[in-house]
Structure formats: C-alpha cells, structure tokens
Amino acid sequence: MKNRVTGLGGIFFKTKDPDHIKTWYKNHLGLNTDNYGCSFWWKDKDGNDAMTQWSPFSSDTKYFEPSEKPFMINFRVENLVELMEELKKEGVTIVGEIAEYDYGKFGYIMDPDGNKLELWEPVDKAFL
C-alpha cells in the first residue's frame, strides 16, 4: 500500500461551551468560525483544494468514544477501505464500520494509548 496518511484532516476537542470557545477564537485569533468550527483551506501537493477542520465539541459528546480523551485527531487518507483492511491485518483496533457521505468516507481506529483516530478519505469539492 503506497500512501496511508496524506495530511491532517482535523483537530477536534471537548469544551464546556463550544459556542463560547468558537467566539473567543474568532474574536482573539481571527478564526472564521461557523456551526462546525473553522475550515482551513490549502492546496495539496498536486495543487488540488484541500481542507483541514478545527472543531470544538460539547464536553459530553459521545463521538470520541471509546476513547476517554478530550480530543480526537482526523487524518486525511487515500483508499480508506484498503487501508482499514491492512490495519485490521496488522492488529490495529478498528472501531465500528466505515461511514460514507458526500464529503468522504470515514473509518475509526484506536492507537496504543487509547486515542480514537478518525481516518477520512475526503471529497473536498463537496465543501466548495
């Protein structure tokens, strides 16, 4: 398998008041926040539009489970289905099933420290 992770897809973290923290980051750091947080647009190595997402989640979110950590990292990947099969063969803990949306495919794994990682095969043009 040639490529696995191709970039950082997003940083997600828990906070007591997501709306307050989004406003703080907007007012003090100039992030262009929306309902989901802030999207950072960039070009990949081939010159294609790409996006990394910054998102605060409510402190009671279940989205990061089974991890007990207050954050989750999303990695951009190529060929998610093939990658998940390889990771399973390598003994990596897989969480749930692959989910597919118009903006990409998502798979979830756990690292040895109990961090849930979101693997995203993006369709960036869905956001344009």
Side-chain angles (χ1 to χ4, degrees):
M1 174 158 213
K2 186 176 158 188
N3 287 327
R4 291 188 180 214
V5 170
T6 60
L8 186 60
I11 298 177
F12 312 131
F13 60 96
K14 294 181 181 183
T15 180
K16 291 179 184 174
D17 188 344
D19 289 332
H20 173 75
I21 204 75
K22 286 185 280 188
T23 299
W24 188 94
Y25 275 82
K26 182 177 187 170
N27 292 340
H28 298 287
L29 297 179
L31 270 62
N32 185 18
T33 58
D34 60 21
N35 288 340
Y36 302 103
C38 182
S39 300
F40 294 92
W41 287 95
W42 47 278
K43 300 281 187 186
D44 69 12
K45 65 181 175 163
D46 298 319
N48 299 308
D49 289 324
M51 188 259 294
T52 298
Q53 183 67 33
W54 172 91
S55 295
F57 281 71
S58 176
S59 57
D60 62 356
T61 186
K62 305 289 186 212
Y63 194 59
F64 302 174
E65 290 182 358
S67 176
E68 296 177 9
K69 307 292 175 76
F71 64 89
M72 183 172 67
I73 298 172
N74 170 298
F75 290 105
R76 296 170 61 92
V77 301
E78 292 181 352
N79 305 310
L80 179 66
V81 172
E82 181 182 335
L83 175 58
M84 294 296 281
E85 290 170 4
E86 288 295 316
L87 293 172
K88 187 174 184 176
K89 288 178 192 173
E90 295 168 2
V92 173
T93 300
I94 307 296
V95 178
E97 301 294 322
I98 291 174
E100 190 167 352
Y101 304 94
D102 60 342
Y103 49 90
K105 296 177 188 170
F106 295 84
Y108 301 90
I109 62 172
M110 298 294 289
D111 77 8
D113 283 340
N115 299 306
K116 183 178 178 184
L117 304 174
E118 184 174 60
L119 305 178
W120 175 37
E121 182 181 329
V123 178
D124 290 302
K125 65 183 178 185
F127 297 103
L128 298 174

mmCIF file of all heavy atoms in Angstrom, residues 4 8 12 17 23 33 35 38-39 41-42 46 55 59 63 66 76 94 108 121-122 125-128:
data_model
loop_
_atom_site.group_PDB
_atom_site.id
_atom_site.type_symbol
_atom_site.label_atom_id
_atom_site.label_comp_id
_atom_site.label_asym_id
_atom_site.label_seq_id
_atom_site.Cartn_x
_atom_site.Cartn_y
_atom_site.Cartn_z
ATOM 1 N N ARG A 4 -0.699 6.109 3.074
ATOM 2 C CA ARG A 4 -1.655 5.905 4.158
ATOM 3 C C ARG A 4 -2.159 7.293 4.536
ATOM 4 O O ARG A 4 -3.081 7.791 3.939
ATOM 5 C CB ARG A 4 -1.005 5.168 5.316
ATOM 6 C CG ARG A 4 -0.694 3.702 4.946
ATOM 7 C CD ARG A 4 -0.228 2.892 6.101
ATOM 8 N NE ARG A 4 0.044 1.521 5.668
ATOM 9 C CZ ARG A 4 -0.152 0.481 6.418
ATOM 10 N NH1 ARG A 4 -0.607 0.609 7.636
ATOM 11 N NH2 ARG A 4 0.120 -0.727 5.966
ATOM 12 N N LEU A 8 -3.221 16.242 7.657
ATOM 13 C CA LEU A 8 -4.062 16.427 8.833
ATOM 14 C C LEU A 8 -5.445 16.864 8.373
ATOM 15 O O LEU A 8 -5.593 17.871 7.680
ATOM 16 C CB LEU A 8 -3.444 17.485 9.750
ATOM 17 C CG LEU A 8 -4.111 17.709 11.086
ATOM 18 C CD1 LEU A 8 -4.120 16.435 11.917
ATOM 19 C CD2 LEU A 8 -3.385 18.805 11.849
ATOM 20 N N PHE A 12 -10.204 17.917 16.758
ATOM 21 C CA PHE A 12 -11.474 18.019 17.456
ATOM 22 C C PHE A 12 -11.210 17.902 18.951
ATOM 23 O O PHE A 12 -10.435 17.045 19.371
ATOM 24 C CB PHE A 12 -12.426 16.910 17.004
ATOM 25 C CG PHE A 12 -12.515 16.777 15.505
ATOM 26 C CD1 PHE A 12 -12.387 15.549 14.891
ATOM 27 C CD2 PHE A 12 -12.716 17.887 14.704
ATOM 28 C CE1 PHE A 12 -12.485 15.424 13.515
ATOM 29 C CE2 PHE A 12 -12.802 17.773 13.324
ATOM 30 C CZ PHE A 12 -12.693 16.541 12.732
ATOM 31 N N ASP A 17 -18.345 24.804 26.621
ATOM 32 C CA ASP A 17 -19.232 25.697 25.874
ATOM 33 C C ASP A 17 -18.669 25.942 24.477
ATOM 34 O O ASP A 17 -17.943 26.913 24.251
ATOM 35 C CB ASP A 17 -19.391 27.013 26.646
ATOM 36 C CG ASP A 17 -20.437 27.929 26.056
ATOM 37 O OD1 ASP A 17 -20.847 27.722 24.887
ATOM 38 O OD2 ASP A 17 -20.840 28.872 26.760
ATOM 39 N N THR A 23 -16.453 31.660 19.568
ATOM 40 C CA THR A 23 -16.468 33.129 19.573
ATOM 41 C C THR A 23 -15.135 33.675 20.056
ATOM 42 O O THR A 23 -14.604 34.642 19.491
ATOM 43 C CB THR A 23 -17.627 33.649 20.451
ATOM 44 O OG1 THR A 23 -18.851 33.171 19.903
ATOM 45 C CG2 THR A 23 -17.643 35.161 20.499
ATOM 46 N N THR A 33 -15.131 31.300 12.106
ATOM 47 C CA THR A 33 -15.884 30.173 12.648
ATOM 48 C C THR A 33 -17.308 30.114 12.102
ATOM 49 O O THR A 33 -17.878 31.117 11.683
ATOM 50 C CB THR A 33 -15.925 30.232 14.185
ATOM 51 O OG1 THR A 33 -16.514 31.465 14.593
ATOM 52 C CG2 THR A 33 -14.533 30.116 14.775
ATOM 53 N N ASN A 35 -20.888 26.965 12.399
ATOM 54 C CA ASN A 35 -21.502 25.993 13.312
ATOM 55 C C ASN A 35 -20.572 24.833 13.666
ATOM 56 O O ASN A 35 -20.713 24.224 14.722
ATOM 57 C CB ASN A 35 -22.791 25.421 12.711
ATOM 58 C CG ASN A 35 -23.905 26.438 12.702
ATOM 59 O OD1 ASN A 35 -23.875 27.410 13.443
ATOM 60 N ND2 ASN A 35 -24.887 26.225 11.849
ATOM 61 N N CYS A 38 -13.979 25.857 12.328
ATOM 62 C CA CYS A 38 -13.300 26.641 11.300
ATOM 63 C C CYS A 38 -12.643 25.697 10.297
ATOM 64 O O CYS A 38 -11.985 24.729 10.684
ATOM 65 C CB CYS A 38 -12.241 27.538 11.939
ATOM 66 S SG CYS A 38 -11.373 28.600 10.781
ATOM 67 N N SER A 39 -12.828 26.001 9.020
ATOM 68 C CA SER A 39 -12.215 25.216 7.947
ATOM 69 C C SER A 39 -11.007 25.969 7.422
ATOM 70 O O SER A 39 -11.104 27.151 7.092
ATOM 71 C CB SER A 39 -13.211 25.007 6.806
ATOM 72 O OG SER A 39 -14.353 24.323 7.262
ATOM 73 N N TRP A 41 -8.414 26.095 4.406
ATOM 74 C CA TRP A 41 -8.231 25.643 3.032
ATOM 75 C C TRP A 41 -6.783 25.778 2.616
ATOM 76 O O TRP A 41 -6.108 26.739 2.977
ATOM 77 C CB TRP A 41 -9.136 26.438 2.093
ATOM 78 C CG TRP A 41 -10.550 26.013 2.265
ATOM 79 C CD1 TRP A 41 -11.490 26.596 3.067
ATOM 80 C CD2 TRP A 41 -11.163 24.879 1.682
ATOM 81 N NE1 TRP A 41 -12.666 25.880 3.002
ATOM 82 C CE2 TRP A 41 -12.492 24.825 2.155
ATOM 83 C CE3 TRP A 41 -10.722 23.895 0.794
ATOM 84 C CZ2 TRP A 41 -13.386 23.834 1.772
ATOM 85 C CZ3 TRP A 41 -11.611 22.909 0.409
ATOM 86 C CH2 TRP A 41 -12.917 22.880 0.895
ATOM 87 N N TRP A 42 -6.304 24.806 1.868
ATOM 88 C CA TRP A 42 -4.932 24.777 1.385
ATOM 89 C C TRP A 42 -4.893 23.951 0.105
ATOM 90 O O TRP A 42 -5.897 23.378 -0.304
ATOM 91 C CB TRP A 42 -3.992 24.224 2.450
ATOM 92 C CG TRP A 42 -4.464 22.959 3.133
ATOM 93 C CD1 TRP A 42 -5.351 22.866 4.163
ATOM 94 C CD2 TRP A 42 -4.083 21.619 2.825
ATOM 95 N NE1 TRP A 42 -5.553 21.544 4.505
ATOM 96 C CE2 TRP A 42 -4.781 20.766 3.710
ATOM 97 C CE3 TRP A 42 -3.216 21.055 1.880
ATOM 98 C CZ2 TRP A 42 -4.631 19.383 3.685
ATOM 99 C CZ3 TRP A 42 -3.075 19.669 1.860
ATOM 100 C CH2 TRP A 42 -3.769 18.858 2.763
ATOM 101 N N ASP A 46 -0.568 18.187 -5.358
ATOM 102 C CA ASP A 46 -0.930 18.225 -6.772
ATOM 103 C C ASP A 46 -1.681 19.498 -7.145
ATOM 104 O O ASP A 46 -2.170 19.625 -8.263
ATOM 105 C CB ASP A 46 -1.779 16.999 -7.126
ATOM 106 C CG ASP A 46 -1.022 15.698 -6.924
ATOM 107 O OD1 ASP A 46 0.180 15.651 -7.273
ATOM 108 O OD2 ASP A 46 -1.618 14.738 -6.408
ATOM 109 N N SER A 55 -12.575 21.873 15.200
ATOM 110 C CA SER A 55 -13.935 21.821 15.738
ATOM 111 C C SER A 55 -13.967 21.552 17.236
ATOM 112 O O SER A 55 -13.490 20.513 17.694
ATOM 113 C CB SER A 55 -14.742 20.722 15.045
ATOM 114 O OG SER A 55 -14.925 20.999 13.690
ATOM 115 N N SER A 59 -18.534 18.978 25.860
ATOM 116 C CA SER A 59 -17.783 18.087 26.759
ATOM 117 C C SER A 59 -18.489 16.757 27.000
ATOM 118 O O SER A 59 -17.845 15.798 27.418
ATOM 119 C CB SER A 59 -17.501 18.786 28.089
ATOM 120 O OG SER A 59 -18.704 19.199 28.693
ATOM 121 N N TYR A 63 -18.963 11.186 20.622
ATOM 122 C CA TYR A 63 -18.302 10.978 19.331
ATOM 123 C C TYR A 63 -16.888 10.422 19.454
ATOM 124 O O TYR A 63 -16.421 9.709 18.581
ATOM 125 C CB TYR A 63 -18.297 12.289 18.547
ATOM 126 C CG TYR A 63 -17.943 12.143 17.087
ATOM 127 C CD1 TYR A 63 -18.704 11.337 16.247
ATOM 128 C CD2 TYR A 63 -16.857 12.818 16.550
ATOM 129 C CE1 TYR A 63 -18.392 11.200 14.903
ATOM 130 C CE2 TYR A 63 -16.542 12.694 15.202
ATOM 131 C CZ TYR A 63 -17.301 11.890 14.395
ATOM 132 O OH TYR A 63 -16.986 11.759 13.063
ATOM 133 N N PRO A 66 -14.712 4.908 21.840
ATOM 134 C CA PRO A 66 -14.478 4.510 23.218
ATOM 135 C C PRO A 66 -13.306 5.220 23.900
ATOM 136 O O PRO A 66 -13.005 4.944 25.047
ATOM 137 C CB PRO A 66 -14.224 3.013 23.109
ATOM 138 C CG PRO A 66 -13.597 2.833 21.765
ATOM 139 C CD PRO A 66 -14.251 3.887 20.892
ATOM 140 N N ARG A 76 -6.239 12.716 7.021
ATOM 141 C CA ARG A 76 -6.640 12.522 5.627
ATOM 142 C C ARG A 76 -5.894 11.291 5.115
ATOM 143 O O ARG A 76 -4.698 11.144 5.360
ATOM 144 C CB ARG A 76 -6.267 13.747 4.799
ATOM 145 C CG ARG A 76 -6.998 15.008 5.229
ATOM 146 C CD ARG A 76 -6.419 16.246 4.558
ATOM 147 N NE ARG A 76 -6.534 16.170 3.117
ATOM 148 C CZ ARG A 76 -7.563 16.653 2.419
ATOM 149 N NH1 ARG A 76 -8.556 17.265 3.033
ATOM 150 N NH2 ARG A 76 -7.592 16.544 1.109
ATOM 151 N N ILE A 94 -10.028 -1.668 15.321
ATOM 152 C CA ILE A 94 -10.972 -0.962 14.455
ATOM 153 C C ILE A 94 -12.218 -0.662 15.290
ATOM 154 O O ILE A 94 -12.704 -1.521 16.023
ATOM 155 C CB ILE A 94 -11.364 -1.819 13.229
ATOM 156 C CG1 ILE A 94 -10.128 -2.321 12.468
ATOM 157 C CG2 ILE A 94 -12.338 -1.066 12.336
ATOM 158 C CD1 ILE A 94 -9.266 -1.271 11.842
ATOM 159 N N TYR A 108 -12.557 4.481 11.765
ATOM 160 C CA TYR A 108 -12.071 4.826 13.099
ATOM 161 C C TYR A 108 -11.201 3.708 13.651
ATOM 162 O O TYR A 108 -11.543 2.524 13.521
ATOM 163 C CB TYR A 108 -13.257 5.082 14.038
ATOM 164 C CG TYR A 108 -14.127 6.203 13.519
ATOM 165 C CD1 TYR A 108 -15.192 5.946 12.664
ATOM 166 C CD2 TYR A 108 -13.846 7.518 13.843
ATOM 167 C CE1 TYR A 108 -15.971 6.965 12.160
ATOM 168 C CE2 TYR A 108 -14.621 8.549 13.348
ATOM 169 C CZ TYR A 108 -15.677 8.272 12.508
ATOM 170 O OH TYR A 108 -16.435 9.286 11.994
ATOM 171 N N GLU A 121 -11.156 9.714 4.040
ATOM 172 C CA GLU A 121 -10.860 9.802 2.617
ATOM 173 C C GLU A 121 -11.767 10.907 2.088
ATOM 174 O O GLU A 121 -12.954 10.690 1.827
ATOM 175 C CB GLU A 121 -11.148 8.469 1.918
ATOM 176 C CG GLU A 121 -10.819 8.494 0.443
ATOM 177 C CD GLU A 121 -11.119 7.182 -0.259
ATOM 178 O OE1 GLU A 121 -11.017 6.099 0.379
ATOM 179 O OE2 GLU A 121 -11.478 7.233 -1.452
ATOM 180 N N PRO A 122 -11.238 12.126 1.959
ATOM 181 C CA PRO A 122 -12.086 13.283 1.675
ATOM 182 C C PRO A 122 -12.552 13.423 0.240
ATOM 183 O O PRO A 122 -11.919 12.928 -0.687
ATOM 184 C CB PRO A 122 -11.189 14.461 2.042
ATOM 185 C CG PRO A 122 -9.814 13.968 1.811
ATOM 186 C CD PRO A 122 -9.833 12.493 2.137
ATOM 187 N N LYS A 125 -14.204 18.704 -2.785
ATOM 188 C CA LYS A 125 -15.059 19.517 -3.658
ATOM 189 C C LYS A 125 -16.476 19.624 -3.116
ATOM 190 O O LYS A 125 -17.215 20.530 -3.496
ATOM 191 C CB LYS A 125 -15.054 18.989 -5.084
ATOM 192 C CG LYS A 125 -15.659 17.614 -5.251
ATOM 193 C CD LYS A 125 -15.555 17.125 -6.675
ATOM 194 C CE LYS A 125 -16.128 15.717 -6.779
ATOM 195 N NZ LYS A 125 -15.957 15.158 -8.079
ATOM 196 N N ALA A 126 -16.891 18.740 -2.228
ATOM 197 C CA ALA A 126 -18.224 18.810 -1.628
ATOM 198 C C ALA A 126 -18.390 20.062 -0.777
ATOM 199 O O ALA A 126 -19.506 20.500 -0.528
ATOM 200 C CB ALA A 126 -18.492 17.563 -0.793
ATOM 201 N N PHE A 127 -17.272 20.660 -0.344
ATOM 202 C CA PHE A 127 -17.317 21.846 0.510
ATOM 203 C C PHE A 127 -17.206 23.140 -0.277
ATOM 204 O O PHE A 127 -17.359 24.218 0.275
ATOM 205 C CB PHE A 127 -16.187 21.801 1.547
ATOM 206 C CG PHE A 127 -16.300 20.642 2.488
ATOM 207 C CD1 PHE A 127 -15.489 19.528 2.336
ATOM 208 C CD2 PHE A 127 -17.217 20.649 3.530
ATOM 209 C CE1 PHE A 127 -15.590 18.456 3.196
ATOM 210 C CE2 PHE A 127 -17.323 19.584 4.388
ATOM 211 C CZ PHE A 127 -16.507 18.482 4.226
ATOM 212 N N LEU A 128 -16.876 23.043 -1.548
ATOM 213 C CA LEU A 128 -16.658 24.250 -2.357
ATOM 214 C C LEU A 128 -17.965 24.846 -2.844
ATOM 215 O O LEU A 128 -18.950 24.224 -2.998
ATOM 216 C CB LEU A 128 -15.745 23.930 -3.531
ATOM 217 C CG LEU A 128 -14.351 23.467 -3.152
ATOM 218 C CD1 LEU A 128 -13.585 23.033 -4.389
ATOM 219 C CD2 LEU A 128 -13.595 24.574 -2.441
#
